Amino acid sequence: MVGRSPAAEVIWARPERAGRGPKPAFGRADIAAAAVRIADAEGLDGVSMRKVAAELGCGTMSLYNYVPRKEDLYELMFDLVSGEYDLSAEPSGDWRADLLALAHQGRAMMHRHTWMPALMSPVYGFSPHALAYLEYTLSCLDSFDARFGEKMELIAMINGVITTYVANEIATAERGRSLPWSEQQEHEARTRYLAGQISTGRYPRMAAGFAEDSGPIDLEGVFDRALGRVLDSFER
């Protein structure tokens, strides 16, 4: 006989404590904090129920009483880190400025926890801290005359820009650390190669472009301009 599929559930709908008995030695927040410490040190691939249990000083199987699946563990981690947003200030009334400020908070948070871009998914977007962030962001958009669906689109696009940008920054930094020479030496070698290729005359448009502006890229400016263009596309 084919077994019945388990019923779908959300970790936040489960009571943290099931039934009676002595108070547990730790709770979800402790589990999430242990997993985040491991991920910060070893990356997301380094997180396992065994390592989290060892960090907490408990048996691996007993951990499943609190967190039935590894995906639930990821959700706890995502929620804990989402709580790092500072949502204490009242929205200024300038929705563009408020969204940009939140975007810079998000970028800084992802650099503190470089595994976070891998978990940026709507699946993990409805935990307590994530909902608090979403409600606050919507309050920043009170002065933006648009339907709810359009506001949600805007928030999703902003988060998409942040996640993609930071993921590229992290990948570049990780590659730099793996090189047998310095980042400056790498940059100089690639610049020399590119200059040689452009000087062949096969790339006239690129040659004209570099002649116009060959200076270093302002990564901070690029980030703000990318966000600004998304906001421009929604502004009436």
Side-chain angles (χ1 to χ4, degrees):
M1 184 176 68
V2 178
R4 296 175 61 184
S5 299
E9 65 174 4
V10 178
I11 184 69
W12 309 108
R14 288 169 54 96
E16 186 161 0
R17 288 187 63 191
R20 300 178 181 178
K23 183 179 179 181
F26 51 84
R28 284 177 183 163
D30 303 304
I31 295 170
V36 166
R37 287 194 296 271
I38 295 168
D40 286 347
E42 304 179 29
L44 196 60
D45 290 341
V47 177
S48 67
M49 299 295 256
R50 178 183 59 80
K51 287 183 180 178
V52 173
E55 182 84 6
L56 293 170
C58 70
T60 302
M61 295 310 296
S62 68
L63 197 61
Y64 285 96
N65 294 324
Y66 300 86
V67 187
R69 306 177 307 146
K70 192 172 184 181
E71 289 76 12
D72 294 323
L73 180 61
Y74 289 159
E75 194 148 1
L76 295 180
M77 295 166 64
F78 185 94
D79 181 67
L80 183 68
V81 173
S82 295
E84 293 183 10
Y85 280 100
D86 181 2
L87 310 177
S88 59
E90 287 292 321
S92 68
D94 181 342
W95 61 271
R96 289 181 62 109
D98 290 341
L99 290 189
L100 285 172
L102 282 172
H104 279 277
Q105 280 200 57
R107 183 183 175 200
M109 176 265 288
M110 289 186 199
H111 274 290
R112 290 193 298 272
H113 308 286
T114 55
W115 46 270
M116 269 295 281
L119 293 187
M120 289 299 290
S121 160
V123 173
Y124 299 121
F126 299 98
S127 65
H129 282 124
L131 285 174
Y133 162 81
L134 183 57
E135 179 66 20
Y136 181 85
T137 307
L138 287 169
S139 75
C140 294
L141 290 170
D142 281 346
S143 61
F144 175 48
D145 182 20
R147 295 173 62 86
F148 173 72
E150 189 175 356
K151 292 180 179 181
M152 292 295 287
E153 264 186 49
L154 172 55
I155 294 169
M157 290 182 71
I158 289 290
N159 285 333
V161 170
I162 301 165
T163 303
T164 302
Y165 198 89
V166 174
N168 287 335
E169 288 182 311
I170 292 169
T172 300
E174 288 177 348
R175 182 183 182 281
R177 286 192 291 271
S178 69
L179 292 172
W181 44 72
S182 71
E183 289 186 56
Q184 181 62 29
Q185 290 172 314
E186 166 87 356
H187 175 71
E188 290 171 355
R190 290 187 175 276
T191 299
R192 285 194 301 271
Y193 171 79
L194 181 59
Q197 290 299 303
I198 289 176
S199 68
T200 63
R202 291 195 296 268
Y203 311 103
R205 292 171 184 81
M206 292 182 65
F210 281 110
E212 177 185 325
D213 184 4
S214 60
I217 298 174
D218 176 11
L219 295 179
E220 296 299 319
V222 171
F223 181 68
D224 284 335
R225 285 194 297 276
L227 292 172
R229 286 175 179 131
V230 172
L231 297 175
D232 289 343
S233 70
F234 279 82
E235 193 165 29
R236 298 292 181 264

